[in-house]
């Protein structure tokens, strides 16, 4: 079974989970994956990393931050189909509704 770790600081982070949550496809009832349940220490780590990242982000000039955000938007649009299929599998939505959430 697929295990979904946390994504912190641009990389997968397993940390010290306190358990797992099952990810069920509501449309089929099948268990698609397990999602790691973060411990208090994992949350503290994520918040610490985010605080440091925000300080770095604040030093980036506005024009560069804008370019980065527009590039992110383009990446989302470029991978819209893949993302919509994940929403369908994880939330049981139909494909057109999933695409609507992305746009």
């Amino acid at each position: 079974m697929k295990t979904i770790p946390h994504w912190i600081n641009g990389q997968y982070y397993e940390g010290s989970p306190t358990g797992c949550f099952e990810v069920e496809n509501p449309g089929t009832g099948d268990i698609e994956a397990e999602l790691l349940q973060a411990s208090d220490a994992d949350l503290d780590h994520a918040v610490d990393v985010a605080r440091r990242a925000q300080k770095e982000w604040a030093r980036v000039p506005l024009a560069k931050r804008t370019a980065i955000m527009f590039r992110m938007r383009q990446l989302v649009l470029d991978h819209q189909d893949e993302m919509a299929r994940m929403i369908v599998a994880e939330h049981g939505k139909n494909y057109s509704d999933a695409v609507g959430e992305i746009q």
Side-chain angles (χ1 to χ4, degrees):
M1 174 163 316
K2 177 181 174 182
T3 299
I4 303 171
H6 306 289
W7 184 257
I8 299 174
N9 200 27
Q11 59 190 356
Y12 289 113
Y13 177 79
E14 290 192 16
S16 51
T18 60
C20 293
F21 296 107
E22 292 181 337
V23 179
E24 179 183 328
N25 180 329
T28 65
D30 294 337
I31 303 301
E32 301 283 336
E34 294 179 318
L35 178 66
L36 296 180
Q37 182 178 357
S39 65
D40 288 345
D42 296 336
L43 280 171
D44 289 342
H45 172 70
V47 169
D48 182 53
V49 168
R51 281 187 178 135
R52 284 183 278 146
Q54 190 282 327
K55 288 177 185 176
E56 291 177 32
W57 180 249
R59 290 192 294 267
V60 175
L62 178 59
K64 184 167 183 168
R65 285 186 285 171
T66 301
I68 291 168
M69 296 305 289
F70 275 107
R71 175 69 179 134
M72 177 64 189
R73 178 182 180 275
Q74 189 59 52
L75 286 169
V76 168
L77 293 174
D78 291 348
H79 295 274
Q80 177 175 282
D81 179 67
E82 179 184 355
M83 294 171 68
R85 291 184 191 286
M86 284 190 273
I87 291 170
V88 168
E90 293 180 6
H91 299 282
K93 291 190 174 230
N94 65 46
Y95 184 81
S96 62
D97 285 348
V99 169
E101 282 196 19
I102 295 164
Q103 296 175 342

